[in-house]
Amino acid sequence: MRYRTRVTAPAALLGTVAALSVAAPAHADQDTAAPGPETLGDPVFPGLGNDGYRVSAYHLDLAYDATTRLVDATATLTIVTTQELSRFSLDALGLDVHEVLLDGVPADREQAGAKLRITPGVPLAERTTATVTVTYTVDPRGAVTPTAWVPTPDGFAICPQPNAAHTVFPCNDHPSDKADFTFRVTVPAGLKGVASGRLVSTEDLGDGRTAYCYRSREPIATEIVQITVGDYVIKDRQGPHGLPLRDVVPTARAAALEPALALTPNLVSWIEQRLGAFPFETYGLLPCNNDASNAFDFTGLETQTLTLYKPNFLLQAEKSIGSHMMHELVHSYFGNSVSPATWSDLWLNEGHADFYGLLYRYERGWTDSLGLTTMEARMKDTYARGDQWRKSSGPVAAPNEANLFDSQRYLGGVLVLYALRRQVGESVFSAIESAFLERFRNASASTADYIAVASEVSGADQSGFLGAWLYGTKTPRMPGHPDWTVTPVSSALRQPPSRPSAPHDNSATL
């Protein structure tokens, strides 16, 4: 299946409500219209996403009740059809749906598993723009699997990656269908509502509640949206070139977390020297008020413009957190600005994040979890594991749902990038990185796209070289290192130290 880059139709935020005005939809012939497929054919999550349309904009209006701890919400989607549709579906799980409107008119609906099926009164024609409005209630503490909700004593945050945004809002839950987002988050006195993007208005509703409205300047993939409510203090500071930095910090822990938060400006400066200007309108950290081991199964998540962390992680010394803070920051480029076309392309996100995170670590002379202090030493160790990982986890660019976030996507991805850099040289490698980020900015890209850019920029066909590294069952020879050897699969190999977290935390920057 060919994945789109993006359909552009920005939402307008008028006052405190997003008014999405569209022309009346054209109608299709009853005899030729068909239901849209309830999948986008992802190789890792085949049930995720829906075809027959693309979403150009979301407006999410959420109101949090601190007494019931429920969220009453309205999601307004602007969709553009790609075929005649007698019916279409959204991803939605654990949402108590009250009503669905299609261009202001009630539409028939059916909730079937993780799909919300919507049947218009008259089939929609191809290339029609329509507005879908879904009102619903959701309990952030609900027992659905997967779930994106992270309940906290004073509210919630969300961690949608990879396949759980649809437990927060109905959506086309796949990174290939990025869209513009506006948010309205209403909270009672004493709490703040925050979302991805920049704050555009604050409204005192006169009943002890406040509505905070946000807009993202760039499109967002559903899996990296952030919405949070809590007793927060907002810490603003300036990054390089005037970049606004915004941290959203639990009030009671703000002073203790300040040393970690103060590291961000220099981290941004370092990565901008290698990957270019920061791609979004703001950046910051969200150490949400929950350190429980089961709150979410990773240390940090690169939700767009506002990286989610467990607070206790950020209370450590710089040498223990700086490398992983760089990892998460790099995701603003690889993963957020350029999203994966399918989940089999995850190595592009995690390999790049670990690659630059490790470079940052070794530049500062900090040892890694194996006690190593150079990229070459770490890659030699990783190279030795190559055939074992290919046997246990498959090739780097061919994951499945069970091993999607294991070391093969992280360190295995770093090894691929290291090999490419040795093959083409540092200056050409840097040019490849820049060209890839520029070409697919605000869009989605596949492994094939990266190989094509590498071939074009290097002036040589890299499909055979990178194909072997990304899809081969045996580890290729490392350019410039004929002495490096791969440990046979049957041989025992000392494993890296185990981590207390779940499989998402396989980053070598931790």
Side-chain angles (χ1 to χ4, degrees):
M1 174 175 290
R2 185 172 180 84
Y3 287 81
R4 75 179 189 102
T5 55
R6 184 173 175 234
V7 178
T8 303
L13 187 64
L14 304 179
T16 59
V17 180
L20 302 173
S21 301
V22 297
H27 296 147
D29 191 308
Q30 292 274 9
D31 297 328
T32 58
E38 295 184 348
T39 177
L40 283 172
D42 190 273
V44 178
F45 297 106
L48 207 58
N50 309 272
D51 213 348
Y53 68 91
R54 293 295 180 264
V55 182
S56 61
Y58 292 88
H59 176 66
L60 305 181
D61 189 340
L62 283 70
Y64 177 69
D65 187 320
T67 301
T68 64
R69 303 193 67 182
L70 300 179
V71 174
D72 289 317
T74 300
T76 303
L77 292 70
T78 302
I79 68 169
V80 180
T81 63
T82 58
Q83 67 177 68
E84 295 182 340
L85 289 174
S86 62
R87 187 186 76 199
F88 62 94
S89 57
L90 302 174
D91 296 307
L93 179 66
L95 309 180
D96 181 9
V97 175
H98 307 311
E99 184 179 49
V100 174
L101 303 177
L102 184 60
D103 290 304
V105 178
D108 290 341
R109 70 180 192 272
E110 176 192 11
Q111 288 185 265
K115 300 294 180 179
L116 174 60
R117 295 171 178 158
I118 300 169
T119 303
V122 179
L124 298 176
E126 185 180 359
R127 293 188 295 275
T128 292
T129 300
T131 301
V132 183
T133 305
V134 183
T135 58
Y136 61 99
T137 300
V138 61
D139 186 346
R141 301 158 299 169
V144 296
T145 302
T147 183
W149 295 99
V150 182
T152 64
D154 48 2
F156 62 83
I158 63 171
C159 53
Q161 191 184 87
N163 61 336
H166 60 280
T167 65
V168 177
F169 58 99
C171 57
N172 202 23
D173 199 0
H174 195 272
S176 65
D177 196 15
K178 300 171 77 166
D180 295 314
F181 273 82
T182 56
F183 307 85
R184 185 174 190 259
V185 186
T186 301
V187 296
L191 301 180
K192 285 187 172 64
V194 186
S196 296
R198 294 292 303 276
L199 180 67
V200 294
S201 69
T202 302
E203 182 183 1
D204 184 346
L205 301 182
D207 58 0
R209 298 184 305 152
T210 302
Y212 298 90
C213 297
Y214 296 83
R215 177 190 288 121
S216 74
R217 190 183 68 191
E218 273 76 27
I220 310 178
T222 53
E223 50 104 5
I224 47 174
V225 166
Q226 184 54 256
I227 309 165
T228 185
V229 169
D231 179 8
Y232 292 127
V233 58
I234 310 300
K235 291 195 167 188
D236 295 310
R237 71 192 81 221
Q238 190 172 88
H241 315 299
L243 175 71
L245 299 177
R246 166 199 61 169
D247 298 312
V248 179
V249 194
T251 301
R253 308 178 78 169
L257 288 164
E258 178 57 24
L261 306 178
L263 298 175
T264 299
N266 285 336
L267 291 166
V268 174
S269 292
W270 189 91
I271 199 60
E272 283 194 334
Q273 292 170 19
R274 288 150 182 84
L275 297 180
F278 187 75
F280 301 118
E281 65 270 45
T282 185
Y283 182 70
L285 309 188
L286 167 62
C288 81
N289 195 17
N290 193 333
D291 279 305
S293 59
N294 62 351
F296 45 95
D297 59 356
F298 37 81
T299 298
L301 178 66
E302 64 275 13
T303 45
Q304 193 156 309
T305 71
L306 192 59
T307 294
L308 176 70
Y309 278 104
K310 289 184 177 177
N312 279 346
F313 172 76
L314 296 173
L315 294 177
Q316 302 176 86
E318 180 184 1
K319 66 179 182 180
S320 299
I321 63 176
S323 182
H324 195 66
M325 289 178 70
M326 180 59 70
H327 171 110
E328 298 298 348
L329 176 60
V330 171
H331 277 313
S332 294
Y333 298 81
F334 292 97
N336 295 13
S337 180
V338 181
S339 297
T342 76
W343 282 106
S344 63
D345 302 307
L346 180 74
W347 79 273
L348 284 166
N349 302 16
E350 303 303 347
H352 276 99
D354 255 18
F355 181 83
Y356 291 101
L358 285 173
L359 286 178
Y360 185 76
R361 174 188 292 275
Y362 299 136
E363 264 195 23
R364 274 142 189 76
W366 301 333
T367 58
D368 62 24
S369 60
L370 299 182
L372 303 174
T373 58
T374 68
M375 179 69 89
E376 184 171 351
R378 188 60 186 258
M379 289 300 95
K380 184 177 181 179
D381 179 89
T382 303
Y383 185 81
R385 304 173 192 277
D387 283 2
Q388 294 190 345
W389 285 0
R390 288 170 191 266
K391 176 73 172 178
S392 63
S393 297
V396 174
N400 58 40
E401 184 175 353
N403 64 30
L404 179 61
F405 287 96
D406 73 4
S407 293
Q408 183 71 308
R409 263 39 75 186
Y410 289 77
L411 268 174
V414 177
L415 192 65
V416 172
L417 297 172
Y418 179 84
L420 177 62
R421 189 174 68 166
R422 293 201 60 87
Q423 175 78 352
V424 302
E426 288 194 23
S427 62
V428 175
F429 177 78
S430 295
I432 291 169
E433 300 281 88
S434 297
F436 180 74
L437 290 172
E438 177 62 28
R439 185 166 303 175
F440 295 100
R441 180 176 176 139
N442 293 335
S444 300
S446 66
T447 298
D449 291 326
Y450 187 80
I451 293 173
V453 171
S455 298
E456 177 185 326
V457 174
S458 67
D461 184 359
Q462 301 294 342
S463 58
F465 178 82
L466 285 173
W469 277 97
L470 290 163
Y471 296 107
T473 57
K474 295 292 184 181
T475 305
R477 298 293 296 272
M478 177 61 70
H481 283 297
D483 56 313
W484 285 13
T485 58
V486 179
T487 303
V489 172
S490 59
S491 301
L493 186 65
R494 180 176 66 90
Q495 295 300 312
S498 60
R499 307 189 205 286
S501 312
H504 282 72
D505 269 352
N506 282 298
S507 170
T509 60
L510 285 167

